[in-house]
Amino acid sequence: MKNTPKRPLAATVILALGLAVTACSSDSDKTSAAGTASPEPAAVVHGHVHGLGINPADSRLYVASHEGVYTLGEDGTAQRVGNSKDDFMGFTVAKANTFLASGHPAHGTSGHSSHGLIQSTDSGKTWKTRSLAGEADFHSLDYAHGTIYGYDSANALLRVSKDGATWVDRAGLQALDIAVSPEDSDTVLATTADGVAKSTDGGRTFAAGKRPMMAFLSWVTPEALYGMDDSGGLSRSTDGGSTWSRAGSVPGGQAQALTAVDARHILAATQTGVYESRDGGKTFTKRFAVEAGDGH
């Protein structure tokens, strides 16, 4: 069956959200938020980045892209983890050595057009289908309170699962990303065309979205909810999204992924790089360069 690429759909959703697409800049690509130049890394990831995470088992950074999952090799270059060149999306590190993802098979390979939910228990070396192959296309996954929350873009639907095998359907909505409160399993946020929409009943219903407009969210502690707009502007909320303050700016153009590891440790991907901040977004260091490859 035909592989369904992510980027055209993501771009459509971003336009629907009313987010401005910002062209990349070679100057900003090498500059931290504070304006300090950082060296260009030798590590290069191929394909748009769809997810980021730190494995608690070894503290290594993993990058899920349109052409596989990458980590940093001993020689300082990007190494593809395992043999899969599939399009990984909705990627999240659930716990030590255990990753969850969705996506599509690599171009030219057979199988379902979408993977549904897949899981790796060996840090991305091998993957197994858990459920919904050919039925769901999770563009955003969050693991919190022992529960998997997934936004199924194929069906415009929030779905939740305790075991990764059986799912309960929640609200239908058009969204790009979701985030679950680390304190309250019933509080779920989603980025929509009207702004950040909030649910207080576990995603069964959502209130109308409120500005500011965000492309991606990551909620790591009750006082550290981060949001990134489409051009890389980073904001932080200490009250669950009621109010926001500017935290910094991620270099490199259009936003692609955001993960907060803790209240000050932030991973972000933009059009031309994967960046890391350890000071709450004040400054960023480029960890990987990104080459978009086929443009999806």
Side-chain angles (χ1 to χ4, degrees):
M1 298 178 70
K2 185 179 179 181
N3 179 22
T4 305
K6 181 203 177 200
R7 271 304 128 180
L9 178 57
T12 300
V13 174
I14 288 171
L15 288 173
L17 296 180
L19 301 173
V21 177
T22 303
C24 64
S25 166
S26 59
D27 291 334
S28 65
D29 207 26
K30 299 181 182 180
T31 307
S32 73
T36 304
S38 61
E40 188 72 9
V44 179
V45 170
H46 298 281
H48 282 85
V49 174
H50 301 156
L52 303 163
I54 297 288
N55 185 359
D58 56 16
S59 298
R60 296 180 71 166
L61 168 59
Y62 288 81
V63 180
S65 87
H66 185 70
E67 298 182 17
V69 176
Y70 292 83
T71 192
L72 196 65
E74 294 182 0
D75 61 355
T77 63
Q79 302 292 322
R80 185 180 284 111
V81 181
N83 297 319
S84 177
K85 294 183 180 180
D86 287 358
D87 178 9
F88 283 86
M89 299 175 354
F91 176 88
T92 189
V93 176
K95 54 186 177 181
N97 299 323
T98 301
F99 303 165
L100 301 171
S102 190
H104 311 284
H107 182 71
T109 60
S110 60
H112 294 289
S113 61
S114 59
H115 285 320
L117 181 73
I118 56 177
Q119 180 183 46
S120 174
T121 56
D122 56 8
S123 305
K125 296 181 180 67
T126 60
W127 294 83
K128 293 183 179 180
T129 299
R130 294 300 309 279
S131 57
L132 299 178
E135 299 178 34
D137 182 11
F138 294 110
H139 279 196
S140 179
L141 287 166
D142 203 352
Y143 183 77
H145 312 289
T147 300
I148 304 167
Y149 298 74
Y151 178 71
D152 177 7
S153 66
N155 298 287
L157 187 66
L158 180 69
R159 294 175 141 167
V160 299
S161 175
K162 283 288 187 181
D163 58 8
T166 58
W167 294 81
V168 177
D169 293 347
R170 298 285 169 87
L173 73 165
Q174 294 288 341
L176 183 61
D177 196 22
I178 60 171
V180 182
S181 166
E183 192 174 44
D184 178 12
S185 61
D186 282 336
T187 300
V188 185
L189 303 180
T191 56
T192 76
D194 298 317
V196 179
K198 184 176 184 178
S199 170
T200 57
D201 57 9
R204 294 170 180 84
T205 61
F206 282 83
K210 295 182 178 180
R211 292 178 178 271
M213 302 295 290
M214 298 293 179
F216 300 101
L217 301 169
S218 188
W219 204 346
V220 62
T221 70
E223 297 79 25
L225 165 63
Y226 284 97
M228 183 165 61
D229 65 31
D230 192 54
S231 60
L234 186 72
S235 298
R236 175 173 173 167
S237 175
T238 60
D239 54 13
S242 296
T243 60
W244 296 84
S245 60
R246 185 77 169 190
S249 182
V250 186
Q254 184 183 340
Q256 294 186 357
L258 175 69
T259 297
V261 182
D262 60 38
R264 294 179 61 79
H265 187 185
I266 302 163
L267 306 172
T270 55
Q271 195 168 3
T272 57
V274 174
Y275 295 86
E276 181 177 38
S277 175
R278 292 184 177 272
D279 56 12
K282 294 179 181 178
T283 59
F284 284 88
T285 300
K286 192 173 186 178
R287 297 303 186 196
F288 293 83
V290 174
E291 292 182 355
D294 62 6
H296 293 316

